[in-house]
Amino acid sequence: MPATPGRRDADVIVVGAGLAGLMAARQLIAARREVLVIEARDRVGGRTVNASIGAGNVTEMGGQWVGPTQDRLLALAHELGVETFPTYHEGRNLLELGGRLRRYKGTIPRLAPHVLFDVQRALRKLRRAARRVPADAPWTAPKAAELDGQTLASWVRRAARTKKARRLLEIANGTMMGTGTAELSALWMLSYVSSAGSFDALVDIEGGAQQDRFVGGSQRISQKLAEELGDAVVLSAPVRRIAQGGSGLDVDGDGVQARAQRVIVAMPPPLAARISFVPSLGGRRDQLTQRMAHGALTKCAAVYAEPFWREQGLTGQAVSDRGPVTATFDNSPPDGTPGVLLGFIAGAEAIRHARLSEADRRRVVLESFERLFGSDAAQPGIYLETAWAEEEWSRGGPVCSFSPGALAHYGEALRQPAGRIHWAGAETATVWCGYMEGAVRSGARAAEEVLDAEGWRL
Ligand SMILES: Cc1cc2nc3c(=O)[nH]c(=O)nc-3n(C[C@H](O)[C@H](O)[C@H](O)COP(=O)(O)OP(=O)(O)OC[C@H]3O[C@@H](n4cnc5c(N)ncnc54)[C@H](O)[C@@H]3O)c2cc1C
């Protein structure tokens, strides 16, 4: 049960009960420290959240997939008794491009040979360039400032010559980052790819980041972590102010005041910047957070009695250049009942979509699904939508990106502690940055920093 808000003291206060914050707290408690986790929302899990779709089934509206090399997350889930199951991907995928709908198998669609060649050449360049960018210090990469001085859109314009290849890369980037390629630094994207090991690891189902899902939904991991932590987690208490002096820190939130020796702020950097820090954190950290912005990804789920597309030999995966939904997946529970079709709307299109009435939002998404999967898609039993840019305590998703010119100059401030304040969160990870794996690793890293700094090793 969550604790009653009020005056609380601890060795360490963790701000934010997403995977990063909960993991940090778990590690500190294992080292016998007293910890308090303060969370703004009335739930844990942050950017992971389950939605009920009846009969005890859930579908995820935030982060959900897990794949090979995401070892810390997989080990944690296993310890907590949350098992995985493979993402459904049997059959053919769909591609709606330039007004034509075609079926294809695997990751690379069937395209005109010159377009296919162009996509592959651009991907080869991306893979090669990413190998030269160390994810733990991208500012030290050869020509870092030059790469950081251009948008990903400029980089793609040089790497790919055909409009269709550029459009496909734009869609892939939108689903992955929730932004347009014109909004983010090329160096940042290369560092992002490098942190995942390869571009293929990011986009693939089998052998990639979309390979598996968690039975019962990804939020169960955070819920189980919070159960372990018991009354060390305070919900519905947004932190407004953190003041640090020589001997400790005072943390003020709605309905809670607390004091600790160290604080771990475990949230997206631009959101952390909305907290009032006394004294101020200094120019470099602030310049950094002023230049980081969350993506705007909207996740839509339509629930049907059965996954009817499977009967048609389709995986449920589609890519569309028409929108508003530009990518879809089969998101049905492990036994395939009910059928859940998941759609992503990304970037500026997601912001436009959010301004429509509820009925119009549902209508245009179902029109997208119907164009791709036929008339069976028109009448789902349940329709759900989460616009992450509209979420007060996330202000976007799936990940925050650097605008051009920031990473090379201010990137070092991303993880550097500010006195007794330490930073965690998926964006601070050097392995699987932006992913649940990165969040878990970042929480563990911040906890280690605190234990080392205070000499609290057992
Ligand atoms: C639509 C979508 C799809 C995604 N897909 C995947 C995927 O398939 N696989 C994958 O690995 N990752 C995916 N991600 C990314 C993944 O969900 C995140 O990387 C991860 O959950 C981030 O965890 P975190 O703890 O770093 O941050 P968060 O989960 O954002 O946690 C931060 C916490 O801080 C709280 N908070 C904010 N402000 C305050 C305040 N002032 N005071 C107190 N608390 C505050 C928030 O409420 C939140 O609970 C996706 C994300 C989204 C949104």
Side-chain angles (χ1 to χ4, degrees):
M1 285 291 289
T4 322
R7 173 82 211 182
R8 302 278 296 267
D9 290 348
D11 294 326
V12 184
I13 293 168
V14 177
V15 185
L19 279 166
L22 293 168
M23 182 66 191
R26 183 180 210 239
Q27 196 127 329
L28 290 163
I29 283 174
R32 310 232 182 92
R33 303 324 306 182
E34 211 177 307
V35 180
L36 187 64
V37 182
I38 308 180
E39 165 59 43
R41 286 180 164 101
D42 61 1
R43 62 166 182 85
V44 297
R47 279 173 275 175
T48 61
V49 62
N50 289 348
S52 167
I53 52 169
N57 289 309
V58 299
T59 194
E60 297 106 323
M61 302 309 292
Q64 61 170 64
W65 286 292
V66 59
T69 75
Q70 299 188 344
D71 304 331
R72 298 294 290 268
L73 176 65
L74 286 165
L76 176 66
H78 187 68
E79 262 180 64
L80 296 170
V82 181
E83 298 304 329
T84 59
F85 68 102
T87 302
Y88 185 85
H89 72 123
E90 278 163 42
R92 293 187 180 273
N93 302 326
L94 295 172
L95 173 68
E96 185 182 40
L97 190 65
R100 268 188 65 197
L101 186 64
R102 38 196 138 189
R103 293 177 170 215
Y104 68 97
K105 221 170 160 48
T107 312
I108 306 284
R110 265 203 285 155
L111 296 162
H114 71 287
V115 179
L116 196 57
F117 178 77
D118 201 24
V119 171
Q120 282 173 338
R121 186 180 42 202
L123 292 182
R124 259 199 315 277
K125 284 187 188 163
L126 185 69
R127 289 182 188 109
R128 217 177 313 128
R131 277 200 290 273
R132 290 198 288 265
V133 177
D136 57 348
W139 47 89
T140 63
K143 300 191 179 160
E146 199 179 303
L147 285 165
D148 202 30
Q150 55 188 295
T151 63
L152 180 61
S154 320
W155 192 91
V156 166
R157 260 199 304 277
R158 269 197 297 278
R161 290 179 195 153
T162 60
K163 261 193 187 160
K164 281 187 177 159
R166 289 174 186 168
R167 183 71 183 119
L168 284 172
L169 293 170
E170 177 75 37
I171 293 171
N173 175 71
T175 310
M176 222 155 54
M177 315 297 276
T179 63
T181 52
E183 293 173 71
L184 48 92
S185 142
L187 180 66
W188 163 245
M189 175 47 100
L190 296 175
S191 166
Y192 201 75
V193 171
S194 166
S195 86
S198 70
F199 181 77
D200 306 76
L202 282 171
V203 295
D204 283 351
I205 302 259
E206 222 168 295
Q210 283 69 235
Q211 179 174 288
D212 295 305
R213 296 173 52 205
F214 290 107
V215 177
S218 55
Q219 195 192 1
R220 273 185 77 211
I221 301 170
S222 293
Q223 288 164 339
K224 292 205 163 212
L225 284 171
E227 274 165 31
E228 275 186 6
L229 295 167
D231 69 2
V233 181
V234 177
L235 299 178
S236 306
V239 167
R240 310 286 181 183
R241 183 174 184 273
I242 300 176
Q244 59 176 322
S247 59
L249 301 102
D250 290 303
V251 176
D252 292 337
D254 292 2
V256 59
Q257 278 91 46
R259 195 169 167 74
Q261 294 302 303
R262 298 266 161 183
V263 168
I264 296 176
V265 176
M267 62 174 75
L271 268 193
R274 293 177 191 227
I275 295 173
S276 167
F277 291 93
V278 182
S280 98
L281 297 174
R284 197 163 66 139
R285 169 80 195 182
D286 209 66
Q287 290 291 315
L288 170 98
T289 50
Q290 287 182 53
R291 287 164 172 79
M292 285 191 84
H294 230 155
L297 198 62
T298 292
K299 202 166 171 179
C300 317
V303 183
Y304 307 90
E306 298 296 333
F308 58 86
W309 52 92
R310 295 185 185 181
E311 296 289 300
Q312 301 162 18
L314 295 173
T315 57
Q317 278 170 63
V319 169
S320 165
D321 68 345
R322 186 162 154 196
V325 173
T326 48
T328 72
F329 290 88
D330 180 326
N331 220 34
S332 311
D335 66 0
T337 309
V340 182
L341 208 49
L342 154 68
F344 287 112
I345 307 177
E349 187 64 50
I351 300 298
R352 267 195 296 279
H353 184 74
R355 297 178 67 183
L356 300 177
S357 70
E358 198 180 327
D360 282 346
R361 292 204 306 272
R362 178 189 156 108
R363 179 180 54 75
V364 297
V365 168
L366 294 179
E367 278 170 9
S368 272
F369 285 175
E370 202 180 340
R371 252 189 3 258
L372 296 164
F373 296 100
S375 55
D376 286 344
Q379 301 285 346
I382 299 173
Y383 175 75
L384 301 165
E385 203 179 270
T386 300
W388 284 90
E390 308 300 320
E391 289 274 309
E392 182 178 10
W393 299 110
S394 292
R395 309 268 176 164
V399 63
C400 304
S401 291
F402 283 89
S403 52
L407 189 55
H409 299 298
Y410 313 113
E412 269 178 279
L414 190 58
R415 281 180 295 278
Q416 204 163 65
R420 294 171 170 271
I421 300 171
H422 300 256
W423 310 106
E427 285 75 7
T428 69
T430 56
V431 176
W432 284 106
C433 177
Y435 282 73
M436 294 186 283
E437 171 74 14
V440 167
R441 282 176 182 256
S442 78
R445 187 258 312 141
E448 296 294 313
E449 268 175 28
V450 164
L451 294 173
D452 282 343
E454 291 287 343
W456 279 340
R457 295 273 172 203
L458 286 177

